[in-house]
Amino acid sequence: MNEPNTNLRETVRQRYAAAAVKVTEGGAACCAPEPLEVDENFGATLYAADERDALPPEAVAASLGCGNPTVVADLRPGDRVLDLGSGGGIDVLLSARRVGPAGKAYGLDMTEEMLALADANAAKAGATNVEFLKGTIEAIPLPANTIDVVISNCVINLSTDKPAVFAETFRVLKPGGRLGVSDVVADDHLSPAQRAERGDYVGCIAGALSFSEYRTGLEAVGFTDVEITPTHPVADGMHSAIVRAVKSAAELPLTTAATSCCGVTGCCSPTDPVTTAHAKPDAGCSCRH
C-alpha cells in the first residue's frame, strides 16, 4: 500500500479507536454512554426504537453508520452473515437475532478498541452465535464460499482499495450469496475533487464512489443483479444508499473449489491467523499441507 493510502487508513483507524474509547469511558462514568451522533444522516437514530432498546446502550451509542443494512439484507434463519467494519457490533448483534441459533454473525474490524467494545457488547447481550475478527476488509480472514450474506454500514467508502473489498466480498460469499450494504454514493457528475469539497475522508464523503463506479466495481468481480437505491441525502449530490448484489449460484469449477477452501494466503502455514483457524471448522474444511 502506498504512503498516502497508509496514512488515510491510519487516520480512519485513529478516528474510530477514539470513538470506541469515548463510548467505553462514557458508559463507565455514568449509567449509559452518549450516542456518537454526527448529524441526523448518521448514527443510531437510523434504527427503529425497538431495535435500539433490545441492545446494550454501548452498541447503540457506537453506531456511526448511514443506514440499517440488517433491514435490507434479507437475513434468514440459519444464515452465516459477515459485517464489514463492524465497529461496536450493533449490526452483528441485530443480525445474530435474525439468523437465530442455527446461524452465525461475524464482525470484521481493524481497530482493537472497537473489537474490545464489540466483544463486551456481545457478552452483555448474551449473544452466543457471534464472533468478532480482527482484520481489514481488503483481506478478509475467512475461507472462500462460506458466507451467505455480507453486510456493511457506511464503511466501504472508507477503504483506500475498493476493488480489493469487492473481490474479497465476492470470494467469501457462497454461490447464491447476497450483498446488502448501506454506503455513501455520489452522483455520477461529481468528480473526486468535488466530492472532497463536500466532506472529508473519515467523514465518509470524500472516499465515496459514484453510482456508476460502484456498479462497475461490483460487476467487474462477478456480482450480478446490482441495485443501488438512494435513501436520503448526506451532502449536495451525495446520498446514503442501499446496495444489493448477488453472487451467481452457478457451480464453481472444481479447480476453484479445490484450491480456495482456506481462501487466505498462507492459511495452511504455521502462521495461520487465529481467526482463520476458527473459521475453517465452521466452514467444514481443513488445510492441506
Side-chain angles (χ1 to χ4, degrees):
M1 183 179 295
N2 61 39
E3 184 174 353
N5 286 349
T6 301
N7 291 341
L8 273 175
R9 174 179 284 181
E10 178 58 18
T11 299
V12 171
R13 190 201 66 76
Q14 290 177 0
R15 189 252 181 141
Y16 288 92
V21 170
K22 181 177 180 181
V23 169
T24 301
E25 292 178 346
C30 185
C31 50
E34 288 294 320
L36 296 171
E37 301 292 357
V38 178
D39 58 35
E40 70 276 8
N41 298 314
F42 297 88
T45 58
L46 299 173
Y47 294 83
D50 59 337
E51 291 180 312
R52 299 196 302 267
D53 293 344
L55 296 176
E58 291 83 1
V60 177
S63 175
L64 288 164
C66 57
N68 183 352
T70 62
V71 172
V72 304
D74 189 27
L75 301 182
R76 305 162 188 169
D79 274 346
R80 307 181 75 78
V81 185
L82 169 64
D83 181 19
L84 302 180
S86 48
I90 185 170
D91 293 317
V92 174
L93 296 178
L94 289 174
S95 296
R97 293 165 62 91
R98 292 175 186 270
V99 302
K104 186 162 184 177
Y106 291 100
L108 174 63
D109 206 281
M110 67 177 181
T111 309
E112 291 277 6
E113 293 85 351
M114 277 295 185
L115 290 168
L117 177 61
D119 281 331
N121 288 332
K124 291 175 183 177
T128 58
N129 60 337
V130 306
E131 183 176 352
F132 291 98
L133 311 175
K134 184 179 180 181
T136 68
I137 63 176
E138 297 87 1
I140 299 171
L142 286 172
N145 309 314
T146 56
I147 298 296
D148 296 293
V149 185
V150 171
I151 65 173
S152 185
N153 196 350
C154 209
V155 171
I156 294 175
N157 69 80
L158 294 171
S159 172
T160 57
D161 189 354
K162 296 175 181 64
V165 177
F166 295 151
E168 279 289 271
T169 300
F170 189 85
R171 179 185 67 78
V172 300
L173 280 171
K174 298 177 182 178
R178 295 102 65 198
L179 172 72
V181 307
S182 296
D183 210 359
V184 173
V185 184
D187 285 341
D188 286 335
H189 70 271
L190 292 181
S191 68
Q194 290 172 321
R195 298 169 212 175
E197 291 172 354
R198 287 155 170 78
D200 61 12
Y201 206 97
V202 296
C204 301
I205 300 297
L209 296 174
S210 70
F211 283 90
S212 61
E213 289 167 346
Y214 221 118
R215 177 180 297 278
T216 299
L218 290 172
E219 292 176 343
V221 299
F223 279 106
T224 62
D225 302 326
V226 178
E227 298 178 0
I228 307 175
T229 307
T231 57
H232 59 271
V234 297
D236 182 24
M238 313 285 292
H239 313 268
S240 174
I242 296 166
V243 182
R244 295 185 179 95
V246 176
K247 179 174 179 176
S248 172
E251 185 176 350
L252 293 175
L254 290 178
T255 53
T256 301
T259 59
S260 64
C261 182
C262 294
V264 180
T265 301
C267 79
C268 296
S269 73
T271 58
D272 187 6
V274 173
T275 53
T276 308
H278 288 170
K280 287 196 291 287
D282 288 343
C285 74
S286 60
C287 281
R288 294 168 297 281
H289 295 281

